[in-house]
Amino acid sequence: MTQPAPPAPVTTAEPPVGKAGGRPPLGLRADVRNLSLLGVLAVLIAVGGITKPDQFLDTNNLQLVLTQASVIGVVTVGMTFVITSGGIDLSVGAIVALASVWATTVATQEYGFAGILFTAVVVGLGCGLVNGVLIAYGGMVPFIATLAMLASARGLALQITDGKTQIVTVQSVLDLGVPDAYILGIPPLVLVFAAVTVIGWLLLNRTTFGRRTVAVGGNAEAARLAGIDVRRQRLYLYLLSGLCCGIAAFLLIVLAGSGQNTNGNLYELDAIAAAIIGGTLLSGGRGTIVGSVLGVLVFTTITNIFALNNLQSDVQQIAKGAIIVAAVLVQRRTARGSGEA
């Protein structure tokens, strides 16, 4: 008696990537976003070249754009890590201000270049530590904890300076900002920014620390069940953000030649905006250093074009706000279309 043929195995095929019903891989979506930002940057450069060709395309102006982007860019690298983990840091601008004025007091300047750099970095780390402890171990919401740090750091910076500008007298610090210090026409501040960007990219994309950051931002409870110490990871991330603020404060001291309690004004807005338009997911779980850097360059170029064309600063802020809203709406639309949470 013949046995009946066994039923054919049922296979479920995944929809082909990039075809109807499928979803392009994350790397491809990131490349598209980066190419879009490069396109926006190219358009802005064209606008600057058309409206103010002699001024915008001047080598000194382009060096200035890159130098200004370096300060906020270093802050944005740290902010990218925090947002990727599902957090937020509203205190970055105030930390930059506090670190810059603490590092330029008369007592600190007596220790020269090393004293200024060391103080700026330590103050940044100290503020990051306070944020991290309050959020990771104190259970405070990041928005509230960093808002409290914003107010406290601004107040302390004002108290230290008594509302006055603190002039840097250490010549070795000032020398970093003069053209004679440029390496192959590149300002030292830009080289520092490039180094921070490369280290940040490697840390996020090629290390366990980066994978843990993404995991915590994607699903903190699942990350905890997988063996990740979520609280310690969050502490490290706010320490990293504080470190970036300390470095940025030193770069700002070199750029401005002084320390002021008004330094870093609205840096939190610029850093968050640059990270978001660069493709970092505001709800956490996805971050891109390259996109954040491109976002910084876009905003810095916009500011430069507005300044060259004598447009008021309030118009700049309106434009930045509109860009942030548009970027968030695009993220939400993309998330719904690709099935992301």
Side-chain angles (χ1 to χ4, degrees), residues 53-66:
D54 295 334
Q55 295 174 309
F56 180 78
L57 297 177
D58 183 71
T59 302
N60 292 331
N61 183 63
L62 295 178
Q63 289 173 335
L64 176 63
V65 171
L66 291 175

Side-chain angles (χ1 to χ4, degrees), residues 46 146 208 242:
T146 58
T208 303

